[in-house]
Amino acid sequence: MHRRCRTALAVTAATLLAAPLLAACGNEAHPGAAAVVGGERIEVSAVQAQAADVRTAQESSPEAAQLVNKSGQLNRAKLHGLIFGRILDKAAEDAGVTVNRKEIQEARTASRAQAGGEEQLRAMMLQQRWVAPDQIDGDMRQEVLLPKLAKALGADLGTPAGQQVVGEALTKASKQLKIDVNPRFGAWDDQKMQLGNYKAPWITQVTEFAPQEPEAGA
């Protein structure tokens, strides 16, 4: 896979502070939900299950202590990814873009070759993106989908203008989905594609050129 695409999708969050797994949601409007996106719930249990898979993989690594220490608010990072995935799906649907199984496997094969093998790919995904082995294909799907969305929009992700076009499409989809996040996890910012103070550099690269909302009173 092209290095630029992988750079645009590289997820790191080493600056996050350590936090325990969050308990059941306290949002009375949506009990048990970490977020509601487009009227569909993302359960706290689903977020915690993804985080647990990552922890299990980390603890089996020779670098377990370092990996765990650097993956602080893992639940929030996983919820962030789940929300963004639904936004990307919505933007892609609006643009008439789809991804098939063959494309995902081709992307994984290319990534495996670039990493130097399957074991190295798994280690890299776990360290850099907090992705457990059984979550890699889902990550690859987004890796394929984002550039295809950009192409459908006539945008080049390698340019500020192209990033602005894609950012605008993602922001539009985010607003249409009316994302409601449980306060325990923070609030979702449609413009920044950001959950609370969690910042994913791969998303920032795409959205930083999107037009900013005018400040109140401006």
Side-chain angles (χ1 to χ4, degrees):
M1 173 159 293
H2 197 290
R3 182 176 296 275
R4 184 178 65 201
C5 296
R6 296 195 60 80
T7 299
L9 286 162
V11 181
T12 59
T15 59
L16 294 178
L17 300 177
L21 292 176
L22 292 175
C25 174
N27 188 337
E28 294 182 359
H30 307 291
V36 178
V37 182
E40 297 183 357
R41 297 161 59 93
I42 297 177
E43 301 291 346
V44 171
S45 58
V47 176
Q48 292 182 335
Q50 282 210 1
D53 284 346
V54 174
R55 284 287 186 245
T56 298
Q58 288 176 332
E59 289 168 358
S60 65
S61 169
E63 301 175 342
Q66 181 180 4
L67 290 175
V68 171
N69 183 57
K70 288 186 175 181
S71 57
Q73 295 182 11
L74 187 53
N75 282 274
R76 292 184 67 201
K78 284 301 177 183
L79 177 57
H80 183 284
L82 289 169
I83 292 173
F84 180 79
R86 296 193 182 188
I87 294 170
L88 180 56
D89 284 346
K90 170 64 175 170
E93 180 182 358
D94 290 345
V97 175
T98 60
V99 171
N100 59 46
R101 183 68 182 172
K102 181 181 178 182
E103 290 173 312
I104 294 172
Q105 289 305 309
E106 288 175 346
R108 181 159 183 166
T109 298
S111 296
R112 184 188 301 119
Q114 184 179 11
E118 180 66 22
E119 183 178 347
Q120 291 84 351
L121 174 63
R122 292 187 177 195
M124 181 193 72
M125 297 293 284
L126 185 63
Q127 179 179 6
Q128 297 182 3
R129 306 192 188 189
W130 305 356
V131 171
D134 63 353
Q135 298 168 0
I136 292 177
D137 280 356
D139 190 86
M140 291 294 164
R141 181 180 180 277
Q142 292 190 7
E143 233 183 68
V144 174
L145 189 56
L146 185 60
K148 289 190 71 174
L149 170 62
K151 183 177 180 180
L153 297 173
D156 182 355
L157 283 175
T159 67
Q163 291 172 17
Q164 178 174 329
V165 170
V166 176
E168 289 172 347
L170 293 172
T171 294
K172 178 182 177 182
S174 183
K175 290 179 177 178
Q176 290 176 337
L177 290 172
K178 301 184 184 300
I179 299 166
D180 178 18
V181 176
N182 185 284
R184 290 173 180 255
F185 291 86
W188 182 261
D189 188 317
D190 294 317
Q191 199 68 36
K192 296 180 180 179
M193 292 291 138
Q194 182 173 316
L195 176 60
N197 63 1
Y198 173 69
K199 298 180 181 180
W202 62 296
I203 295 175
T204 301
Q205 179 175 339
V206 173
T207 60
E208 63 184 348
F209 294 99
Q212 298 298 308
E213 297 287 348
E215 296 182 2

